[in-house]
Structures are given as structure tokens and as C-alpha cells.
Amino acid sequence: MPSPAPVSRIVVADPAALALTAAQRLLARIDANAGRVAIGLTGGSSPKQLYQLLASEAYSKRIPWDRVHWFIGDERFVPANDARNNMRMAREIFLDRFAPRGHIHPIPTDAADPDESARRYEHELKAFYGADDLDPALPLFDLVLMGVGPDGHTASLFPDYPAITETKRWVVGVPKAHVEPFVPRVTLTLPALASCREMLFELAGEEKRAILTRLLAGENLPANRARSIGETVFLVDRAATGGELRGG
Ligand code: 6PG
């Protein structure tokens, strides 16, 4: 197997600069593809400022909404209107205001259980992609956003859980979460997340410092196993790095 492309690191001053850099990278990915664009969003609190920026006049008018499709990398298995639902935040802040309805692709949580939800979303992704097998020459996503939890999980791929070893399925159900909120999850798998031109991790704040240190030390954690077949970028703020403003 060819070794994945190296990971680059961008350090910015604070969460506002982080949102700005992420928005610029997102726009650059959209501009680089003249056809239909697919973006994988993420849950958690990290992307909130980015979503707010995308809803601003300056950014919303630069996004060609009629050719961008919005997916999500993982979901909590709660109703679409539950405050813990990941897609709900993205919808409320910007998607419902700007994106055509058919371009918003939430993970369906009205399914009987997380496994059925995963099967349905996998079916939707395959229909969108137009094939059952991922071709490295044709990434599924232009950009995938990622966050990192205190235990090193990313999407809902928790350390030592079976989902992290999945190689065939694109989406799987996760019966029990490893961190709060303790609700079942549905998550894209490593191969599905990897199928992107860019994977962009966002980590901001002092509370991310401990896990960032472990990741930089090369620990075998889900956030170190999730890598794009294209470019992987860790976008971090100074507080997360422990005060140093350095790239690398
Ligand atoms: C979720 C996520 C998860 C998240 C990290 C970071 O459903 O919780 O998608 O992977 O990105 O836990 O969360 P914060 O951004 O809230 O720190």
C-alpha cells in the first residue's frame, strides 16, 4: 500500500483566525472544482464559527450554492431537531438559509436503529458518487472537516472500537459512544472519510492541548489514522499548541 501523503500543520492566532482560514480553504476547494462539489461537515462545537462565517454576506455570496452538496461525517442517533444533532447546528446556522434542500444530506436518524441509518446513508453516498467502490482517482469529497475529541476520536471513530477497523463499509452504526453525549452514533468509516481531496482538522483552545500533544507524538489514535488520500491539514490555534505560534 502506498504511504499516505504527509500531514501539514497550520498554526493561527485564535479561533476567529482559525474559522477564517478554514473558510478560505473551503472556498479554494470549491473554486478548484468547476463541477459538482461535495463537502463533508463535522459535528461538535469546533466548526461553529466557521459555519457562522459561511453564513455571513461576504462568504455566502461567494459560494455557488447550486453546485455544492453538504454531507456530514458522523451523527448522534437522536432526532433531527434534537439539540445534540450535529447536522441541526449546520442547518440552523447556514444550510437552511442558503443551500437548496436537495443539496443537504443529513444522516437519517428516523431509522429503526443506527445500523439501518448507516445502511441508508451509505446507499445515499453511493448513489451520489455513482459507484459502489471508491476510486482513488475520483475522491468522494472535495473537503472533509474533522474535529478531535479528548480521547483522540474523530467523527464517531473511537479508540479501540470495531468501527475504526472497518475497511469495506462506508458508514457504520456505533451502539455506544465513548464520550458525551452518550447516545449511539452513526459514522463514516476511515476509507470513506479518506476519499477526499482535503481533510481539514480544526482544533482550538487550551482544552485541546493535551490531545494535540499526544497526536503530534504519533500515538495510534483514530485522529492519527484518519488521513486523506489527498491532503491532510491540521489547523490549530495558538492556545491548542501551548502558546507557540509555529507552523510545520
Ligand atoms: C461529534 C463529532 C466529534 C467531534 C469531536 C470534537 O459528533 O461529537 O463529530 O468527532 O468533532 O468530539 O468535538 P468539539 O468540536 O465539540 O470539541
Side-chain angles (χ1 to χ4, degrees):
M1 225 168 72
S3 49
V7 177
S8 53
R9 187 151 38 103
I10 301 172
V11 185
V12 295
D14 53 32
L18 193 129
L20 201 66
T21 306
Q24 285 163 352
R25 295 191 75 89
L26 190 144
L27 271 180
R29 286 291 165 189
I30 293 174
D31 290 345
N33 178 352
R36 188 183 64 165
V37 173
I39 306 289
L41 300 172
T42 186
S45 54
S46 300
K48 192 169 181 185
Q49 266 187 270
L50 165 65
Y51 296 168
Q52 284 165 340
L53 204 54
L54 297 180
S56 69
E57 208 199 322
Y59 278 88
S60 62
K61 65 180 187 208
R62 289 171 61 191
I63 296 174
W65 296 98
D66 56 339
R67 61 183 186 86
V68 184
H69 286 255
W70 307 88
F71 295 87
I72 188 125
D74 77 309
E75 190 52 270
R76 291 93 179 260
F77 194 67
V78 295
N81 61 0
D82 188 293
R84 296 166 298 180
N85 188 282
N86 282 335
M87 200 57 147
R88 178 185 147 152
M89 179 173 84
R91 294 189 76 140
E92 281 186 356
I93 300 178
F94 75 105
L95 291 178
D96 284 346
R97 291 174 58 194
F98 302 103
R101 213 182 159 76
H103 290 205
I104 306 172
H105 303 268
I107 290 178
T109 53
D110 58 353
D113 53 46
D115 287 336
E116 189 202 315
S117 168
R119 278 192 297 275
R120 278 170 55 187
Y121 205 52
E122 180 165 317
H123 186 265
E124 184 168 347
L125 282 168
K126 287 181 172 174
F128 177 84
Y129 186 65
D132 286 344
D133 294 307
L134 293 164
D135 176 354
L138 294 172
L140 170 58
F141 299 108
D142 293 273
L143 180 83
V144 167
L145 293 170
M146 304 283 258
V148 180
D151 56 352
H153 80 262
T154 191
S156 282
L157 297 167
F158 299 105
D160 304 323
Y161 274 38
I164 190 77
T165 58
E166 180 61 48
T167 56
K168 291 193 172 59
R169 298 283 310 273
W170 295 17
V171 190
V172 294
V174 179
K176 223 174 118 196
H178 190 237
V179 295
E180 283 188 333
F182 292 104
V183 292
R185 311 289 185 98
V186 180
T187 188
L188 268 65
T189 58
L190 289 180
L193 292 164
S195 183
C196 61
R197 297 186 189 281
E198 177 172 337
M199 181 179 283
L200 182 62
F201 284 89
E202 283 187 279
L203 286 91
E206 216 177 302
E207 64 278 13
K208 298 288 180 191
R209 195 181 295 175
I211 193 60
L212 182 61
T213 304
R214 289 175 63 191
L215 291 172
L216 295 178
E219 248 189 82
N220 183 17
L221 293 166
N224 265 349
R225 294 174 66 174
R227 294 291 180 262
S228 170
I229 55 170
E231 198 180 351
T232 302
V233 179
F234 268 75
L235 178 57
V236 302
D237 79 346
R238 204 169 2 185
T241 67
E244 286 172 73
L245 188 54
R246 56 185 159 78

